[in-house]
Amino acid sequence: MEVCYQLPVLPLDRPVPKHVLSRRGAISFSSSSSLFGAPDPRQLSQRRGAISYDSSDQTALYIRMLGDVRVRSRVGFEPERRGSHPYLSIDFRILHSQPESAGPVSARKIRRLLSFQRYLHSSRACRGVTPQNPLHILDHDYTGQAKCMLEKVGSWNFDIFLFDRLTNGNSLINLTFHLFNLYGLTELFQLDMIKLRRFLVMVQEDYHRQNPYHNAVHAADVTQAMHCYLREPKLSKSLTSCDILLGILAAATHDLDHPGVNQPFLIKTNHYLAALYQNTSVLENHHWRSAVGLLRESGLFSHLPSEDRLDMERQLGSLILATDISRQNEYLSKFREHLDKEDLCLANAGHRHFVLQMALKCADICNPCRPWELSKQWSEKVTEEFFHQGDIEKKHKLEVSPLCDSQMNSVGKIQIAFAAEWARFSDTRLSRTMLGYLGLNKASWSGLLQERAGAAEGRTRPRRAALTPADDTNSKVLPQGSKES
């Protein structure tokens, strides 16, 4: 059964507004080009983002991609409660609710918004709607405590949840900005501080705050873990400044504009993104393209030669695409092969890039290796997000994705495998600490499981029980929120 939303159709006597045509993103148009004021398809194809042309369309539709997803179908279903799910609560009417101005529109007034997330915030502000989480100016105590925490940003016990509270929800901006300065990247690459700050603000805004797990705090946590790995002796002695820059950028943007659902959900609901990327690394391709869009919009690397910019974008994509969980075994087997042969040479640019890919993958799924209080919180958050998707799938009679059934308790082993292989590559205090926390967390979850089993004896299992490790001693400690395929 195809399940998606019916797109708003533009009246035949009304052209697409200029402010929409000028907006970056994908456009779906019909063979009747007069509906669009006869745009030149060659000009459209040069616009950032993906272009979709469907000659079978009888009416003109326009959509904004890279975050704001539109799907067509014969069958639709009612949207969820607003704010409960990023893709199932879109009010399409706001896309063309603004009247066109008579006369030329200045570039300043043209909104070049990447994702639906930013467009929604902007439209609410224009309509005078008070934000649900208004920003308040932090007092000096909070700012001072946040700065003190950044002095220990290389600690594996870094509490990203506390740091996010101290920065009033701006953990990703503050932490990444600090790392750029800590590594001297701002000076080395002659980056404009204003452009860098603007880029990081846009990155944080394009993470969906309503996602329990795949949000800006998760991105900040992965970035902090990536920093810990970059400081490991083998890497710190070998990585170039460009490697470090790409590693931090990839960590900060690896889940950019994540919808809070996994790839199978997008595929079985005939989601436009799934069609756009041909059901292959759908989310990862979207995260990468979204990151490239923000880099270009902010002009962060505009002073660099075009060949260097394109090469950085390509390498950034290679790192982000490596986080596709459907390719975990492929990367793990390759990593093991290198370790068995002991042929990893970090003087080789290709080998350094592969190690960066592995570092990013480990950072993305390292939550079971964090201290118990942090690890437990992440487990609860990813469980909530998985179960929310499962509830939607059940409601609309779709096959429930693995790990998304709140009535089941199945977990994988991939996190332990990556942690163990990383320890083989870099046998340091950090890797031993990670494995130590992994064992302690397994014991803690086993204890909780026994307590809950005793408390639930004679009655049904609580519906929202957190995922716990299986009885097999080799099963992972906590489920992680990498893109489940």
Side-chain angles (χ1 to χ4, degrees), residues 140-153:
H140 293 296
D141 286 343
Y142 280 84
T143 304
Q145 292 179 57
K147 289 181 178 179
C148 287
M149 286 195 68
L150 285 176
E151 294 178 1
K152 299 181 179 180
V153 70

Side-chain angles (χ1 to χ4, degrees), residues 40-303:
D40 186 348
R42 288 174 296 180
Q43 294 178 353
L44 289 174
S45 65
Q46 296 172 357
R47 185 172 296 122
R48 297 180 198 161
I51 303 296
S52 172
Y53 179 81
D54 188 351
S55 59
S56 65
D57 282 353
Q58 298 302 314
T59 54
L61 307 174
Y62 65 89
I63 60 177
R64 212 163 41 82
M65 275 294 301
L66 292 180
D68 190 6
V69 181
R70 299 291 181 268
V71 193
R72 282 165 292 172
S73 173
R74 297 186 300 272
V75 182
F77 53 77
E78 60 179 284
E80 296 288 308
R81 174 175 55 85
R82 176 169 297 280
S84 64
H85 194 271
Y87 280 0
L88 304 183
S89 59
I90 297 177
D91 183 357
F92 297 109
R93 292 171 297 179
I94 66 175
L95 282 177
H96 48 84
S97 60
Q98 299 292 335
E100 287 190 87
S101 59
V105 181
S106 65
R108 178 179 292 272
K109 291 184 179 181
I110 295 178
R111 292 198 171 275
R112 303 290 298 277
L113 301 176
L114 176 66
S115 71
F116 177 77
Q117 188 80 348
R118 290 168 59 199
Y119 187 89
L120 180 60
H121 292 168
S122 175
S123 64
R124 284 175 173 171
C126 292
R127 289 181 278 124
V129 179
T130 305
Q132 295 179 349
N133 298 304
L135 288 178
H136 301 286
I137 298 178
L138 295 175
D139 59 33
H140 293 296
D141 286 343
Y142 280 84
T143 304
Q145 292 179 57
K147 289 181 178 179
C148 287
M149 286 195 68
L150 285 176
E151 294 178 1
K152 299 181 179 180
V153 70
S155 169
W156 189 248
N157 296 344
F158 192 86
D159 189 340
I160 196 63
F161 298 109
L162 174 60
F163 184 72
D164 191 64
R165 292 193 294 271
L166 293 176
T167 57
N168 200 30
N170 294 304
S171 57
L172 182 58
I173 296 174
N174 287 273
L175 187 140
T176 310
F177 193 85
H178 174 76
L179 292 180
F180 266 75
N181 291 321
L182 183 65
Y183 284 105
L185 301 175
T186 308
E187 295 79 12
L188 286 171
F189 291 91
Q190 299 180 339
L191 302 179
D192 186 304
M193 299 284 281
I194 302 300
K195 291 181 178 180
L196 174 59
R197 188 80 181 184
R198 179 171 179 253
F199 168 73
L200 295 177
V201 168
M202 290 191 295
V203 167
Q204 181 171 278
E205 287 179 347
D206 277 3
Y207 279 96
H208 296 200
R209 183 176 300 183
Q210 66 267 38
N211 288 348
Y213 185 87
H214 288 104
N215 51 40
V217 183
H218 166 66
D221 183 63
V222 173
T223 305
Q224 191 272 334
M226 189 67 167
H227 167 59
C228 293
Y229 296 148
L230 294 178
R231 295 172 68 241
E232 289 287 80
K234 282 189 177 181
L235 276 70
S236 62
K237 296 177 181 178
S238 307
L239 296 180
T240 66
S241 298
C242 187
D243 293 331
I244 295 173
L245 174 67
L246 287 169
I248 294 176
L249 280 178
T253 61
H254 79 285
D255 275 335
L256 194 60
D257 204 25
H258 195 290
V261 293
N262 60 19
Q263 177 171 293
F265 182 91
L266 301 181
I267 293 175
K268 62 191 172 188
T269 56
N270 297 320
H271 204 284
Y272 193 93
L273 277 180
L276 179 65
Y277 297 114
Q278 300 179 343
N279 299 342
T280 303
S281 298
V282 175
L283 289 170
E284 292 73 29
N285 271 297
H286 179 56
H287 303 325
W288 169 35
R289 297 299 183 183
S290 300
V292 169
L294 285 187
L295 283 173
R296 294 182 179 182
E297 181 173 348
S298 66
L300 184 61
F301 298 135
S302 60
H303 60 289

Side-chain angles (χ1 to χ4, degrees), residues 384-403:
E384 180 183 353
E385 188 167 300
F386 282 164
F387 287 173
H388 180 71
Q389 175 181 324
D391 289 346
I392 296 173
E393 292 168 332
K394 291 177 183 177
K395 178 179 179 180
H396 301 290
K397 305 297 188 280
L398 300 173
E399 180 183 357
V400 178
S401 301
L403 294 181

Side-chain angles (χ1 to χ4, degrees), residues 311-352:
D311 183 62
M312 292 182 69
E313 291 174 359
R314 179 186 61 80
Q315 293 192 63
L316 180 65
S318 177
L319 290 174
I320 294 177
L321 288 173
T323 62
D324 184 356
I325 201 172
S326 67
R327 301 179 63 190
Q328 296 280 45
N329 288 329
E330 171 191 340
Y331 281 95
L332 187 58
S333 297
K334 185 177 179 180
F335 196 32
R336 282 173 173 162
E337 183 179 351
H338 278 301
L339 294 177
D340 292 339
K341 293 181 179 179
E342 298 182 353
D343 62 351
L344 272 177
C345 176
L346 296 185
N348 181 294
H351 285 193
R352 288 200 310 273

